[in-house]
Amino acid sequence: MRARRGARWAVVTGGLLVLLLALVVVDRVVAARVRQAVADAFTARVEQPVGEPHVEVGGFPLLGQLVSGEVDDVDLRLDGATLGGVVMTDLSVDAQGVSTTGPHAMHTLDVQATVPVASVQDVVTQRTDLDVEVGVEGGELQLSGTALGLPLVATLVPHVVDGRLLVDLASVSVGGVGLDPSLLPADLAGRLTDLAVPIKGLPEGLVLTDAVVHPDGLRITASGTDVTVTPAPTPAP
């Protein structure tokens, strides 16, 4: 009798293990499909994505989250992309409460990306019309070139105002002599003050919040709540 009960228990236990294993396999298959859907939705929102998106979906089991209509946590990494005409690298996307159907609504969304020195250089050159170079030295964003026929070296500081990325003049030396920026000619000082790095086309509800100097350029952060990600509009021919 005991042997029969033991055999029955073994059969039941084995059946439960098989069922559990099957549910895990199905859950992981669904997770793979969700990762692909998220990757497709994000790459459709940016221009010229670089590399394959790497997506992680948090929470287990995922099947239960799908029944509720949203996924708890989604992390995405992308080597690069163009946002609002600005080339960026090392994109990091962290989202919570992501709807499982498009357009994808998110309770919270945090995005980080690096604006390379070359992109800042383009903005400075266009805005100032000066023959200068921009680089990162000693953890600071520096501008070097000539002005008024003399060597010019300036330190630029990034900051975010009302969701706009600005680069402002912090210190300057002309001909090796340090000057108070306020003593520069008005025309030159004006061209080196509040240089706007245009970042457009962010999803509604996602706002630029911070910018710091990074070894490769400027590391920016954008955050938002109740953000909906839709495909980027197709440019007119």
Side-chain angles (χ1 to χ4, degrees):
M1 180 66 71
R2 290 181 179 177
R4 291 180 180 178
R5 289 179 179 176
R8 290 175 183 175
W9 177 249
V11 171
V12 171
T13 303
L16 289 175
L17 289 176
V18 170
L19 178 59
L20 179 60
L21 179 60
L23 288 175
V24 171
V25 171
V26 171
D27 193 81
R28 294 304 88 193
V29 171
V30 171
R33 292 181 178 178
V34 170
R35 287 196 296 269
Q36 187 61 52
V38 171
D40 291 344
F42 182 79
T43 53
R45 190 65 183 80
V46 300
E47 304 170 28
Q48 301 176 331
V50 178
E52 292 295 326
H54 178 73
V55 182
E56 292 293 336
V57 179
F60 181 85
L62 187 59
L63 288 172
Q65 297 181 54
L66 294 182
V67 171
S68 69
E70 67 178 38
V71 177
D72 292 342
D73 299 290
V74 174
D75 296 333
L76 181 145
R77 303 293 182 269
L78 188 63
D79 291 341
T82 299
L83 294 176
V86 178
V87 176
M88 301 186 189
T89 62
D90 191 19
L91 275 74
S92 168
V93 179
D94 299 311
Q96 291 78 44
V98 182
S99 65
T100 57
T101 57
H104 296 281
M106 308 175 186
H107 293 327
T108 63
L109 177 62
D110 295 292
V111 179
Q112 288 191 325
T114 299
V115 180
V117 169
S119 296
V120 181
Q121 169 85 55
D122 290 342
V123 170
V124 171
T125 300
Q126 293 171 10
R127 169 71 184 273
T128 65
D129 198 28
L130 296 173
D131 182 17
V132 295
E133 291 186 1
V134 177
V136 176
E137 295 290 341
E140 295 182 328
L141 191 65
Q142 289 191 350
L143 175 152
S144 60
T146 59
L148 306 176
L150 297 172
L152 168 70
V153 177
T155 301
L156 303 174
V157 177
H159 56 159
V160 174
V161 178
D162 297 330
R164 299 171 62 232
L165 174 58
L166 303 175
V167 180
D168 211 352
L169 186 63
S171 64
V172 62
S173 68
V174 178
V177 179
L179 296 177
D180 187 324
S182 64
L183 298 178
L184 290 175
D187 177 61
L188 179 59
R191 284 186 286 170
L192 294 173
T193 302
D194 287 341
L195 300 173
V197 180
I199 298 176
K200 303 176 182 179
L202 295 179
E204 185 175 354
L206 186 65
V207 180
L208 198 64
T209 58
D210 190 30
V212 297
V213 178
H214 183 273
D216 296 326
L218 300 179
R219 188 68 175 170
I220 63 170
T221 300
S223 302
T225 57
D226 297 327
V227 180
T228 299
V229 176
T230 58
T234 302

